[in-house]
């Protein structure tokens, strides 16, 4: 059966229904926080609720105009996660444990900026294949973004990590969040253009078909960049994220286990080197293994944050203490790094499981867009961006629950932080574009058949060059 006979359905009405449900969940969370506080329901409930609802509905209209075949689940799930995060940050603000009690206001402001930028991305790009033209521009942009925090007078160290730039007296930004998008574009463009060369057989050792030495170059560069971020910027989370992104994308491009084996060996070597030579990594590992040791608990940069988060989640039990009824503000950085622990305390295991389920739905819809994409670049880009969201969730939730060492990554869409919100909403916009192009009826232009026809001569040329 041809693709013209399957008549794709836009499913925008289903998206609208799910979006209203997502907004109801977010508003209910905000309402519960308000009625359980000493101040009662404030004017912010109406103002911020209407602001979020207005933005979400405008986004929905934009999709009807420019990407009407986009996946109908991605936007509602993202709005639900963003809304629950806003409610929890507002709840931490109400505890007034510090002088900085305007995080919820800043978060709703950044939500507005991020959603508007995502809509601009939808309008400006329209077809994700355009991004392939900027493969090496994306690489150059990644290098600039990763180096920006090291520029004297611009970069500032916060909590021991030098990953921020400060603009003016109050605006801080983490350029590494945008670098994960530009790196995904570069990896997708590079791997989709050079897949045949990378696939050429090297030496075979047992069941493993090793790549040729000269094809190991990109992996070595990715490994060195990850180690560089770890050493210079003292950012363990971003280091894991960048290397993991490349490993997954090259595995998807080549389907070779040897790349995973080599990558894991390089990761293990880098991890051992970092543990024995870098103090902040040593503290992270010791705080993970011996979290309840009094010497480590009370040490500067020790395990106090992890242990208090665990006790908070334990206090929440199965059903939680209820939004606004717990004490999550006792955990340091409860509105950012530890927001998962705060949600676990007040929503319990069931509520936290529901949030994890929302993330799984979002990531699976991104992977579905990758599977349905009609071009190799789209497949790799959607896979890389979806994996980035998934790995970030695993590293954050795994760190808070002590499954793995705690790192400094933020929980996508929920933790306080404008740069994280902006980057993740741009990722959502790109995933929506890829899903739209994969589900829409075949049109004149770069269809799958046309792409194969245009790609074939280039692939023959590459194969001929490789054999020489």
């Amino acid at each position: 059966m041809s693709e013209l006979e399957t008549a794709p359905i836009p499913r925008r009405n289903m998206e609208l229904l799910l979006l209203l449900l997502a907004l109801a969940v977010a508003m209910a969370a905000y309402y519960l926080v308000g009625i359980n506080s000493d101040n009662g329901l404030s004017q912010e409930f109406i103002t911020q609720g209407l602001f979020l609802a207005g933005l979400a509905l405008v986004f929905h209209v934009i999709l009807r105009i420019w990407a009407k075949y986009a996946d109908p689940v991605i936007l509602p799930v993202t709005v639900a996660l963003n809304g629950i995060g806003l409610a929890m940050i507002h709840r931490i603000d109400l505890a007034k444990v510090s002088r900085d009690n305007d995080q919820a206001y800043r978060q709703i402001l950044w939500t507005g900026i991020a959603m508007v930028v995502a809509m601009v991305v939808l309008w400006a790009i329209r077809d994700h294949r355009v991004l392939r033209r900027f493969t090496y521009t994306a690489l150059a942009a990644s290098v600039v973004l990763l180096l920006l925090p090291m520029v004297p007078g611009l970069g500032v160290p916060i909590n021991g990590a030098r990953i921020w730039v400060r603009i003016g007296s109050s605006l801080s930004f983490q350029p590494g969040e945008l670098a994960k998008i530009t790196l995904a574009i570069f990896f997708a463009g590079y791997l989709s253009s050079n897949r045949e060369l990378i696939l050429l057989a090297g030496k075979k050792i047992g069941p493993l078909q090793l790549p040729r030495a000269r094809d190991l170059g990109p992996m070595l560069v990715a490994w060195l960049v990850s180690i560089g971020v770890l050493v210079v910027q003292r950012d363990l989370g971003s280091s894991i994220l960048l290397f993991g992104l490349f490993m997954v994308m090259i595995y998807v491009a080549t389907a070779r286990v040897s790349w995973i084996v080599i990558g894991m060996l390089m990761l293990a070597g880098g991890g051992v080197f970092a543990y024995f030579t870098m103090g902040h990594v040593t503290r992270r590992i010791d705080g993970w293994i011996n979290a309840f040791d009094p010497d480590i608990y009370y040490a500067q940069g020790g395990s106090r944050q992890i242990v208090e988060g665990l006790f908070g989640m334990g206090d929440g039990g199965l059903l939680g203490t209820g939004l606004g009824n717990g004490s999550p503000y006792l955990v340091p950085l409860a509105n950012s790094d530890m927001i998962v622990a705060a949600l676990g305390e007040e929503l319990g295991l069931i509520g936290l499981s529901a949030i994890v389920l929302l993330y799984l739905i979002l990531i699976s819809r991104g992977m579905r867009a990758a599977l349905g994409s009609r071009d190799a670049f789209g497949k790799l880009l959607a896979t890389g961006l979806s994996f980035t969201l998934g790995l970030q969730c695993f590293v954050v939730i795994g760190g808070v629950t002590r499954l793995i060492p705690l790192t400094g990554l933020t929980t996508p869409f929920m933790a306080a932080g404008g740069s994280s919100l902006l980057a993740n909403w741009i990722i959502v916009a790109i995933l929506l574009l890829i899903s739209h192009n994969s589900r829409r009826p075949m049109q004149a232009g770069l269809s799958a058949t046309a792409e194969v026809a245009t790609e074939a001569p280039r692939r023959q040329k590459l194969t001929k060059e490789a054999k020489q």
Side-chain angles (χ1 to χ4, degrees):
M1 183 179 291
S2 70
E3 293 187 48
L4 288 175
E5 294 172 312
T6 56
I9 302 172
R11 299 191 185 282
R12 298 272 66 84
N13 290 336
M14 177 190 289
E15 180 185 78
L16 179 60
L17 186 64
L18 293 174
L19 193 56
L20 293 175
L21 181 61
L23 287 169
V25 170
M27 294 294 287
Y30 227 102
Y31 176 78
L32 288 173
V33 167
I35 61 171
N36 286 327
S37 72
D38 295 335
N39 300 326
L41 203 59
S42 66
Q43 183 66 29
E44 292 175 355
F45 169 73
I46 298 174
T47 307
Q48 297 189 7
L50 288 177
F51 185 71
L52 179 64
L55 283 170
L57 292 174
V58 169
F59 205 120
H60 167 74
V61 173
I62 294 295
L63 286 178
R64 281 185 180 271
I65 298 172
W66 291 323
K68 67 178 182 179
Y69 292 101
D71 190 298
V73 180
I74 291 178
L75 178 63
V77 170
T78 307
V79 169
L81 289 169
N82 203 155
I84 295 170
L86 279 168
M88 179 49 71
I89 293 169
H90 176 58
R91 186 262 174 278
I92 303 293
D93 279 358
L94 292 177
K96 299 185 186 304
V97 292
S98 71
R99 288 177 296 178
D100 185 9
N101 295 319
D102 293 327
Q103 280 289 348
Y105 173 75
R106 283 201 289 271
Q107 188 76 352
I108 190 71
L109 192 61
W110 271 109
T111 297
I113 294 171
M115 292 181 75
V116 169
V117 171
M119 286 184 258
V120 171
V121 168
L122 284 169
W123 167 76
I125 298 178
R126 305 289 182 92
D127 190 334
H128 66 273
R129 288 171 291 191
V130 172
L131 295 173
R132 188 173 179 174
R133 300 175 193 165
F134 302 100
T135 296
Y136 291 98
T137 306
L139 176 62
S142 305
V143 173
V144 171
L145 288 168
L146 289 173
L147 291 179
L148 270 181
M150 307 311 300
V151 176
L154 189 61
V156 289
I158 297 178
N159 296 325
R162 195 179 179 91
I163 55 177
W164 297 86
V165 296
R166 178 158 290 168
I167 303 169
S169 58
S170 59
L171 180 61
S172 297
F173 194 78
Q174 191 175 337
E177 287 285 344
L178 292 177
K180 65 187 181 187
I181 301 174
T182 52
L183 278 175
I185 293 171
F186 165 69
F187 289 149
Y190 177 83
L191 292 172
S192 60
S193 299
N194 298 281
R195 180 173 177 273
E196 288 82 4
L197 287 176
I198 296 172
L199 273 175
L200 288 176
K203 291 182 180 178
K204 191 170 184 179
I205 300 178
L208 292 179
Q209 186 76 52
L210 297 178
R212 298 180 307 177
R214 59 181 175 180
D215 296 330
L216 277 172
M219 181 167 279
L220 284 172
V221 171
W223 183 72
L224 289 173
V225 168
S226 304
I227 293 293
V229 169
L230 182 63
V231 173
V232 180
Q233 300 184 353
R234 302 167 66 87
D235 185 9
L236 179 60
S238 296
S239 176
I240 295 172
L241 193 65
L242 297 181
F243 190 68
L245 171 66
F246 178 69
M247 274 188 61
V248 164
M249 293 185 73
I250 198 168
Y251 175 70
V252 171
T254 62
R256 278 194 176 171
V257 179
S258 57
W259 286 105
I260 297 295
V261 174
I262 294 170
M264 294 303 291
L265 289 174
M266 293 172 75
L267 186 64
V272 171
F273 169 77
Y275 178 74
F276 286 106
T277 59
M278 301 173 198
H280 61 290
V281 177
T282 308
R283 285 193 295 275
R284 293 277 187 184
I285 303 295
D286 288 344
W288 169 52
I289 297 174
N290 305 303
F292 294 93
D293 185 326
D295 292 336
I296 293 178
Y297 178 87
Y298 290 108
Q300 187 176 7
S303 59
R304 174 172 167 255
Q305 189 182 30
I306 302 172
V307 173
E308 291 187 352
L310 290 172
F311 276 112
M313 288 189 287
D315 190 45
L318 189 64
L319 299 175
T321 57
L323 275 172
N325 288 326
S327 306
Y329 48 83
L330 297 177
V331 182
L333 301 177
N335 58 7
S336 56
D337 291 10
M338 298 298 285
I339 197 166
V340 170
L343 289 163
E345 179 179 344
E346 298 208 331
L347 297 179
L349 178 62
I350 292 178
L352 194 54
S353 299
I355 289 172
V356 172
L357 186 60
L358 285 176
Y359 279 117
L360 288 175
I361 292 172
L362 178 61
I363 295 160
S364 66
R365 302 306 288 200
M367 289 295 185
R368 181 173 177 173
L371 287 172
S373 181
R374 296 163 182 159
D375 61 291
F377 175 76
K379 285 183 188 297
L380 285 169
L381 184 58
T383 301
L385 295 177
S386 303
F387 176 78
T388 298
L389 290 175
L391 181 60
Q392 195 160 342
C393 290
F394 171 75
V395 169
V396 173
I397 297 174
V400 171
T401 55
R402 208 174 158 229
L403 179 66
I404 59 174
L406 185 68
T407 66
L409 288 177
T410 56
T411 312
F413 305 108
M414 303 191 86
S419 41
S420 174
L421 262 182
L422 179 62
N424 289 317
W425 269 104
I426 292 174
I427 288 176
V428 163
I430 296 174
L431 290 178
L432 285 167
L433 275 176
I434 295 174
S435 67
H436 165 68
N437 287 307
S438 65
R439 295 180 70 245
R440 70 179 179 180
M442 297 288 286
Q443 296 176 354
L446 281 179
S447 65
T449 305
E451 187 192 57
V452 170
T454 55
E455 287 283 296
R458 188 183 63 82
R459 289 177 179 171
Q460 290 173 359
K461 181 182 176 184
L462 287 173
T463 306
K464 189 181 294 182
E465 289 175 357
K467 288 178 179 176
Q468 291 174 350

